[in-house]
Amino acid sequence: EDQVTQSPEALRLQEGESSSLNCSYTVSGLRGLFWYRQDPGKGPEFLFTLYSAGEEKEKERLKATLTKKESFLHITAPKPEDSATYLCAVQRSNDYKLSFGAGTTVTVRA
Amino acid sequence: KAGVTQTPRYLIKTRGQQVTLSCSPISGHRSVSWYQQTPGQGLQFLFEYFSETQRNKGNFPGRFSGRQFSNSRSEMNVSTLELGDSALYLCASSVLGNIQYFGAGTRLSVL
């Protein structure tokens, strides 16, 4: 059974205070690791897909990295609009089901 | 390009009733997946359809069913509703199944 564990559960940051979110995973045959952002009352918004260890992707203040056991989402100089729940999910190579972690809720104060 | 559209956005039902939720995928996407999101269990996979065929199914009872039409639109049905079925039901579409784009969801409340 796939396992995805995200830490911390919640993160409170001051505007401009960089930090990292962790996603550790266990899956037999990884097709890809996905990061989503979810705002209250909305569906998850796709951010990144990482396919192999060592891969990195960036979008504005966000940077995602992948190793064989975990992924990190780095938030550089966050702004209040970066406040959201960030979800990590894995997809096995033999099907397309996404297995999600519980998420990290990030709050950025001005 | 229009995103994934789910209707209705909100539903209130009573125990024992049945409900049908609808999902219109992004144009050109042939895969539609359904997920249930609750505060206690998080996001859990229900099933996935590709070209009108169910390709994968999660660990939910048979009361949860779905189908996909030739235009890739999908519906999911929950029969004999229970209080524990109260949740946000999310639909996601994809070209082949890998990168999935989610709709805003249908919030179902069972009283």
Side-chain angles (χ1 to χ4, degrees), chain B residues 4 10 23-24 34 37 44 47 50 52 54 61 66 69 79 82 90 96 99 101 105:
Chain B
V4 178
Y10 303 93
C23 173
S24 293
W34 288 89
Q37 187 173 31
Q44 292 188 291
F47 29 66
F50 183 82
E52 302 180 68
Q54 188 180 84
F69 302 96
S79 62
E82 300 177 359
L90 291 159
L96 295 174
I99 300 176
Y101 298 90

Side-chain angles (χ1 to χ4, degrees), chain B residues 61-82:
Chain B
R63 301 184 296 107
F64 292 82
S65 63
R67 59 178 176 168
Q68 186 180 33
F69 302 96
S70 58
N71 61 358
S72 293
R73 191 177 70 85
S74 177
E75 288 181 347
M76 70 162 277
N77 183 276
V78 188
S79 62
T80 319
L81 283 166
E82 300 177 359

Side-chain angles (χ1 to χ4, degrees), chain A:
Chain A
E1 186 71 28
D2 306 335
Q3 283 200 323
V4 182
T5 304
Q6 292 189 246
S7 61
E9 288 184 20
L11 191 59
R12 291 175 64 86
L13 301 171
Q14 199 67 33
E15 184 172 4
E17 178 189 0
S18 302
S19 189
S20 294
L21 284 56
N22 177 266
C23 170
S24 62
Y25 64 92
T26 303
V27 62
S28 57
L30 179 73
R31 179 197 301 278
L33 184 138
F34 298 77
W35 283 99
Y36 286 86
R37 167 195 171 124
Q38 187 173 26
D39 294 302
K42 296 187 177 181
E45 175 191 345
F46 172 73
L47 293 173
F48 304 109
T49 309
L50 301 166
Y51 294 105
S52 56
E55 191 174 359
E56 299 182 351
K57 287 194 177 170
E58 286 188 69
K59 179 180 178 180
E60 297 180 356
R61 294 175 293 283
L62 301 177
K63 179 180 175 180
T65 62
L66 181 66
T67 73
K68 286 187 178 178
K69 293 183 180 179
E70 57 190 351
S71 176
F72 292 93
L73 184 66
H74 308 278
I75 309 179
T76 302
K79 298 183 177 182
E81 53 261 43
D82 295 321
S83 297
T85 296
Y86 291 87
L87 296 161
C88 169
V90 297
Q91 192 176 63
R92 271 187 255 152
S93 56
N94 61 351
D95 69 47
Y96 292 100
K97 158 189 155 183
L98 289 173
S99 296
F100 282 87
T104 294
T105 300
V106 174
T107 304
V108 182
R109 296 166 292 174

Side-chain angles (χ1 to χ4, degrees), chain B residues 1-108:
Chain B
K1 203 171 187 181
V4 178
T5 304
Q6 291 188 245
T7 56
R9 288 295 318 278
Y10 303 93
L11 265 178
I12 299 176
K13 293 285 186 180
T14 55
R15 279 183 300 171
Q17 286 187 310
Q18 75 161 13
V19 67
T20 299
L21 312 181
S22 179
C23 173
S24 293
I26 293 169
S27 177
H29 286 195
R30 295 166 63 189
S31 167
V32 173
S33 298
W34 288 89
Y35 295 83
Q36 182 196 65
Q37 187 173 31
T38 59
Q41 299 296 319
L43 270 151
Q44 292 188 291
F45 172 77
L46 281 156
F47 29 66
E48 187 229 353
Y49 287 87
F50 183 82
S51 293
E52 302 180 68
T53 301
Q54 188 180 84
R55 197 159 60 171
N56 200 356
K57 190 176 188 312
N59 296 324
F60 279 82
R63 301 184 296 107
F64 292 82
S65 63
R67 59 178 176 168
Q68 186 180 33
F69 302 96
S70 58
N71 61 358
S72 293
R73 191 177 70 85
S74 177
E75 288 181 347
M76 70 162 277
N77 183 276
V78 188
S79 62
T80 319
L81 283 166
E82 300 177 359
L83 294 178
D85 296 334
S86 294
L88 180 66
Y89 290 88
L90 291 159
C91 164
S93 81
S94 172
V95 175
L96 295 174
N98 45 354
I99 300 176
Q100 298 178 20
Y101 298 90
F102 285 81
T106 294
R107 173 75 62 186
L108 172 64

